[in-house]
Amino acid sequence: MKKIIIHTVPLIISWLWLVINKETYNPITLKGPDFLKFYLILLLGFYSSFFLLKTLRETISKTTFYFMILIFSLGIVKLIRGIFLGKPIGFLAMILILESIVNLIICKLNNNIK
């Protein structure tokens, strides 16, 4: 339960930023720079909560991987939408590639610990 609460804090912070600054609940409809700000707030918050759990010597559970998949799938959906609309997707593609590399490293480290 503690892990779920720790991982939902960045999610709530990014959604509050979305609602307060952009007055919408749907991040998919945001324009490029606004979505990138939202996505970076979400990513940085999640990975800071991940490293907080690592410093507290907590095990990485399936909940963490579900949150990583959720965040990654949000980026993929926005990437696909950008491709269909013919918008530039360079920064988002770089962020998603970097995120997938970090996710693979985290999965690899988690498997080595077990």
Side-chain angles (χ1 to χ4, degrees):
M1 185 68 180
K2 180 171 67 170
K3 294 174 190 173
I4 294 174
I5 293 172
I6 288 175
H7 287 313
T8 55
V9 169
L11 186 67
I12 292 171
I13 289 171
S14 61
W15 284 101
L16 283 175
W17 177 87
L18 185 67
V19 170
I20 291 171
N21 289 335
K22 302 302 171 191
E23 299 172 352
T24 184
Y25 293 104
N26 188 2
I28 303 296
T29 60
L30 290 175
K31 300 287 183 189
D34 295 331
F35 178 77
L36 287 176
K37 287 178 190 174
F38 166 77
Y39 198 66
L40 287 176
I41 290 170
L42 184 63
L43 274 179
L44 293 176
F46 173 76
Y47 285 118
S48 63
S49 69
F50 174 79
F51 289 119
L52 175 70
L53 285 176
K54 288 297 268 186
T55 57
L56 295 175
R57 306 256 191 251
E58 293 285 331
T59 60
I60 305 305
S61 65
K62 290 183 181 180
T63 306
T64 304
F65 294 113
Y66 293 146
F67 274 97
M68 286 190 324
I69 291 170
L70 175 76
I71 293 170
F72 187 73
S73 63
L74 175 66
I76 292 293
V77 166
K78 185 63 178 178
L79 181 77
I80 292 170
R81 186 170 187 265
I83 289 172
F84 281 142
L85 294 177
K87 302 290 181 178
I89 48 128
F91 287 120
L92 183 59
M94 288 187 293
I95 291 170
L96 287 173
I97 290 170
L98 184 64
E99 184 183 355
S100 64
I101 292 170
V102 170
N103 289 343
L104 287 173
I105 291 171
I106 289 171
C107 291
K108 183 77 169 171
L109 290 175
N110 193 34
N111 288 338
N112 287 343
I113 293 171
K114 289 182 181 179

